[in-house]
Amino acid sequence: MTSTEKKYTDVDVDIDKFNAIQDPNTLAALQDKLGQMTIKKPESDELDLPPAISKRVNAIKNIQLQTTKIEADFFKQVHKLEIEYSQKYAPLYLKRAQIVSGELEPSPSECLMPGEELDNEKSDNEKQENDNDAEAGIPGFWLTIFKNTEILAEMTQPHDEPILDALRDIRVSFPENSMGFVLEFVFAENEFFEDTVLTKTYHMKSEPDDFDPVAFDGPEIVGSTGCTISWKKGKNVTQKVVKKKQRMRGKGQTRIIRRQ
């Protein structure tokens, strides 16, 4: 026996005591990594496989494609669940919108956080304070969310803030017979546009490419369509007004031209 062989035979390895392969979280993570494994595409002259092996590689690619199609179907089923559960969320989101707008005042018990107990005397005092409070609802609720959510804060410009201050609710709906969703932005009456609801429709697909199945990474947004906004005169924040001096012919005078 060589020294190398002795080195490995001296190591007492009990596979049943190897915690890593018995931990279900580790196994799940490994399975997930294998499922997400991507394959680098070699150049045509990079591989020079014998015909028999090349055929087996093609068989493996077909297995990958079938696996990816199952994954795509999984996401379609998840989308159906989203639609089903959106109906369960709806009454809760409606109540949220009513509280934010001031249309509904929550009861004292609804204002308690988990673990808190209702103090009737304190509740009566707070009710009196609420009755004397001139401002209803939660002012600037959605504007505060936009400004304190990283991905939204990056997109929010200073000229957007007065508009977002009039935002009262954001709803989501799902078109029938297609994979996608519609965002509905509900506004109070404001100085910028006539609309009370603005919508944006997102179109999605969950279909792998037969020739590149490893590139599939779940549903993707393939397009979006926004509604037409009825801007009030001079209030379109998407257009910039440029002032330009123009000399009037034959009069020796100048005038200011405003162009958008």
Side-chain angles (χ1 to χ4, degrees):
M1 180 182 295
T2 66
S3 59
T4 302
E5 290 173 332
K6 186 175 187 302
K7 175 182 177 182
Y8 284 98
T9 55
D10 287 343
V11 179
D12 183 15
V13 179
D14 187 346
I15 193 119
D16 293 329
K17 294 180 181 179
F18 187 30
N19 293 331
I21 68 168
Q22 295 194 72
D23 182 359
N25 293 326
T26 302
L27 291 174
L30 177 59
Q31 185 177 13
D32 183 58
K33 289 297 182 184
L34 288 172
Q36 297 178 9
M37 182 175 61
T38 58
I39 304 172
K40 177 186 175 183
K41 291 183 179 179
E43 299 295 335
S44 57
D45 58 348
E46 192 174 325
L47 292 179
D48 186 16
L49 300 175
I53 296 179
S54 181
K55 290 179 181 179
R56 294 168 195 148
V57 170
N58 287 341
I60 295 297
K61 290 180 179 178
N62 287 327
I63 290 174
Q64 178 64 41
L65 177 59
Q66 293 172 43
T67 302
T68 306
K69 287 184 176 180
I70 293 173
E71 184 182 5
D73 184 62
F74 164 79
F75 285 116
K76 290 177 182 177
Q77 297 303 317
V78 169
H79 184 66
K80 291 181 180 179
L81 278 176
E82 287 180 329
I83 296 174
E84 177 185 339
Y85 274 78
S86 68
Q87 302 303 314
K88 299 181 180 182
Y89 295 137
L92 297 175
Y93 291 153
L94 174 60
K95 194 169 189 177
R96 179 185 67 186
Q98 291 173 329
I99 294 174
V100 169
S101 67
E103 181 183 344
L104 174 69
E105 190 64 38
S107 66
S109 61
E110 290 176 322
C111 298
L112 293 176
M113 296 301 293
E116 292 183 339
E117 295 183 0
L118 183 63
D119 186 332
N120 291 325
E121 182 178 351
K122 182 179 179 182
S123 176
D124 291 339
N125 292 334
E126 288 179 347
K127 184 178 184 303
Q128 183 63 39
E129 291 177 3
N130 288 337
D131 290 341
N132 297 331
D133 191 353
E135 200 157 21
I138 307 177
F141 177 80
W142 286 104
L143 173 59
T144 302
I145 289 177
F146 270 72
K147 293 175 68 175
N148 290 275
T149 304
E150 185 176 355
I151 189 170
L152 297 176
E154 293 175 354
M155 297 186 293
T156 304
Q157 301 298 317
H159 61 253
D160 295 323
E161 294 188 13
I163 298 177
L164 292 174
D165 195 40
L167 183 60
R168 293 294 177 264
D169 194 22
I170 298 178
R171 302 189 296 242
V172 61
S173 60
F174 299 92
E176 295 184 5
N177 303 320
S178 66
M179 193 168 189
F181 58 95
V182 180
L183 290 181
E184 302 174 356
F185 300 86
V186 183
F187 289 87
E189 185 177 346
N190 60 83
E191 61 178 294
F192 297 96
F193 41 76
E194 303 290 348
D195 314 88
T196 56
V197 179
L198 302 180
T199 63
K200 188 161 188 179
T201 302
Y202 292 86
H203 311 283
M204 303 179 67
K205 74 170 186 176
S206 181
E207 299 291 343
D209 185 342
D210 288 353
F211 298 98
D212 190 17
V214 295
F216 180 73
D217 193 28
E220 61 177 327
I221 295 175
V222 294
S224 62
T225 307
C227 68
T228 300
I229 302 176
S230 301
W231 294 99
K232 293 181 180 179
K233 187 176 180 180
K235 292 296 184 177
N236 189 342
V237 297
T238 66
Q239 294 179 341
K240 184 177 180 180
V241 177
V242 178
K243 296 181 180 179
K244 184 178 180 181
K245 288 185 178 181
Q246 185 181 72
R247 183 174 294 278
M248 299 175 66
R249 294 180 180 178
K251 295 184 178 181
Q253 298 176 346
T254 58
R255 61 179 178 179
I256 297 177
I257 302 297
R258 296 172 180 263
R259 291 180 179 175
Q260 294 185 338

